[in-house]
Amino acid sequence: MELYSSYISRLIGELSVLPGIGNKSAQRLAFHIINMPKDKVENLAGAMIEARNNIRYCKCCYTLTDSEICPVCADEKRDHTQIMVVENTRDMTAYEKTGKYEGVYHVLHGAINPSLGIGPGDIRLPDLIKRLQSVDAREVIIATNSSIEGETTAMYISKLIKPTGIKVTRIASGVPVGGELENIDEITLSRALDARVEL
Ligand code: ZN
């Protein structure tokens, strides 16, 4: 016997696959949604579908964007010889919010994690190496998280790039160990950038 209407059960099932949403939260959200005005629910569902269908990877830095080239890469006033490597678009947004960084980015979409079987080829790392061969880069700033995966990735990138003669730096500590970049305040982030060290 269905505990709820089959529609509610399905909604709970769909919501509970989201990260951080357990069965209880999924139930709470499902009942909230069915009590929302119809047009609000349509807006929510429409935003999800539109985002999924229309967002793509920037051809240059691989951040998620609406256009072929993201606004940062398309901006001629930015310093295109300084490339900051981040794990995801959220981290890039965190650095953009500081308003202190004038270079461009490279978004890896993950970090090396041997225990999960994620190797260098599973993130946008080969794309970074290819990019560095075709652009005139003077500095690569590694701003991966200070988790074990982030540090492993930083070391790997450093070893790969250093022989090319391009300056490789790592954002300073002050970013707490295991800290997710996106949760760190803007002042700490810009300090970590200013105090970056050469690897
Ligand atoms: Zn871009």
Side-chain angles (χ1 to χ4, degrees):
M1 191 188 80
E2 286 270 8
L3 219 42
Y4 306 118
S5 116
S6 61
Y7 296 111
I8 297 177
S9 299
R10 181 177 167 208
L11 182 55
I12 293 170
E14 298 292 346
L15 288 167
S16 61
V17 303
L18 297 171
I21 307 287
N23 197 260
K24 270 221 168 112
S25 304
Q27 285 186 31
R28 194 171 47 80
L29 287 171
F31 283 100
H32 179 81
I33 290 167
I34 57 168
N35 284 311
M36 279 163 66
K38 261 190 181 175
D39 60 324
K40 297 275 179 211
V41 176
E42 274 162 18
N43 287 345
L44 175 64
M48 286 197 259
I49 293 164
E50 266 187 59
R52 182 63 186 82
N53 287 345
N54 295 311
I55 285 177
R56 46 171 129 175
Y57 296 109
C58 169
K59 262 191 162 175
C60 188
C61 73
Y62 295 96
T63 193
L64 296 169
T65 184
D66 293 354
S67 43
E68 204 168 320
I69 303 286
C70 79
V72 172
C73 290
D75 187 347
E76 283 174 17
K77 285 192 233 91
R78 310 276 306 214
D79 182 354
H80 288 258
T81 68
Q82 196 178 37
I83 301 174
M84 184 193 284
V85 181
V86 291
E87 289 185 24
N88 55 52
T89 297
R90 297 189 306 275
D91 292 345
M92 171 176 168
T93 309
Y95 264 100
E96 278 302 281
K97 278 193 190 151
T98 69
K100 293 277 159 62
Y101 180 62
E102 282 163 5
V104 293
Y105 297 87
H106 188 91
V107 183
L108 294 173
H109 293 284
I112 297 170
N113 188 338
S115 62
L116 290 179
I118 301 169
D122 300 314
I123 56 178
R124 294 285 187 179
L125 198 50
D127 305 283
L128 172 64
I129 304 307
K130 218 194 269 170
R131 183 177 171 189
L132 290 174
Q133 284 161 357
S134 59
V135 298
D136 201 10
R138 92 186 140 79
E139 182 182 1
V140 171
I141 304 169
I142 306 175
T144 50
N145 288 326
S146 52
S147 58
I148 295 172
E149 296 78 33
E151 292 298 344
T152 307
T153 310
M155 281 301 120
Y156 189 89
I157 296 174
S158 160
K159 272 190 197 150
L160 220 54
I161 298 176
K162 273 192 90 173
T164 66
I166 300 168
K167 185 176 171 189
V168 183
T169 56
R170 175 90 172 105
I171 54 163
S173 51
V175 176
V177 172
E180 297 255 340
L181 270 185
E182 56 175 322
N183 297 326
I184 296 163
D185 69 273
E186 287 147 34
I187 295 166
T188 311
L189 274 187
S190 42
R191 275 195 197 137
L193 176 61
D194 286 342
R196 64 188 183 275
V197 287
E198 190 160 356
L199 294 176

